[in-house]
Amino acid sequence: MVLPALTLRKQGATVSALSKLYRQLGMCQLDDAKKTMRSLISDVPYSNKKLASMDMEERYRLVISTILNAIGIRVEVERMLATGRIDLVVWTTRYIYMVEQKLSNNGGIAAAGQQIKDCGYMELFKGNRREVVGLAVELDSEGKGLVD
């Protein structure tokens, strides 16, 4: 109920996209998952007063974590470590994704990737049976969606 209202899409279209995203993340098909996530995020209206008043990175974190929670994927938001704070930890059956988000005007994908490495975010979960994947995500600083 929440996602169709948030993305201004019909429920059937949202359910179909969510099913694809669940499968894509479960199989580590990151290029396809990026396209699906981009389409879901692009439909979130910028004019929503509550969202527009939030810090842009916080806004994206809320939208992405809501989408992932809606499809039954476990998500930890702002996981605190001794070396920093991971934006999102996403758990699937076979993979753990360490997601660091950066806005385009704050270094983008390069800065996000460097933070994952410098802070050793992936080390915490290396003992887990799941494969650990670091994802640097660049988001549009003007609220226009996922860049890369």
Side-chain angles (χ1 to χ4, degrees):
M1 291 173 58
V2 174
L3 286 176
L6 186 64
T7 62
L8 299 179
R9 286 181 163 203
K10 292 182 180 179
Q11 187 170 2
T14 304
V15 169
S16 176
L18 294 173
S19 297
K20 283 196 311 190
L21 183 61
Y22 183 86
R23 184 180 66 253
Q24 292 159 346
L25 287 173
M27 299 176 69
C28 204
Q29 297 172 336
L30 299 180
D31 287 334
D32 292 333
K34 177 173 67 172
K35 291 174 192 169
T36 303
M37 184 66 81
R38 183 178 283 148
S39 77
L40 287 166
I41 292 172
S42 70
D43 282 343
V44 176
Y46 181 69
S47 61
N48 182 309
K49 289 181 183 177
K50 198 73 158 167
L51 287 176
S53 69
M54 297 173 87
D55 168 82
M56 192 62 68
E57 197 170 307
E58 180 184 359
R59 174 183 178 215
Y60 282 117
R61 200 169 27 253
L62 171 69
V63 170
I64 292 170
S65 64
T66 299
I67 289 168
L68 295 173
N69 277 311
I71 60 176
I73 293 180
R74 180 177 158 210
V75 180
E76 291 180 69
V77 178
E78 294 189 348
R79 171 77 184 257
M80 299 294 286
L81 304 177
T83 57
R85 183 180 62 221
I86 305 169
D87 286 333
L88 298 167
V89 180
V90 179
W91 302 76
T92 69
T93 306
R94 294 173 46 198
Y95 300 95
I96 301 172
Y97 298 101
M98 302 291 112
V99 181
E100 181 59 34
Q101 303 177 148
K102 292 286 182 201
L103 297 174
S104 315
N105 64 359
N106 191 24
I109 200 166
Q114 195 60 50
Q115 184 172 336
I116 290 170
K117 291 175 189 170
D118 291 349
C119 294
Y121 288 166
M122 295 172 56
E123 297 304 315
L124 177 66
F125 299 99
K126 290 271 175 140
N128 194 290
R129 63 174 175 75
R130 297 172 178 99
E131 185 177 340
V132 181
V133 178
L135 290 178
V137 177
E138 182 173 345
L139 303 159
D140 184 84
S141 54
E142 295 178 15
K144 296 179 183 171
L146 177 67
V147 175
D148 201 6

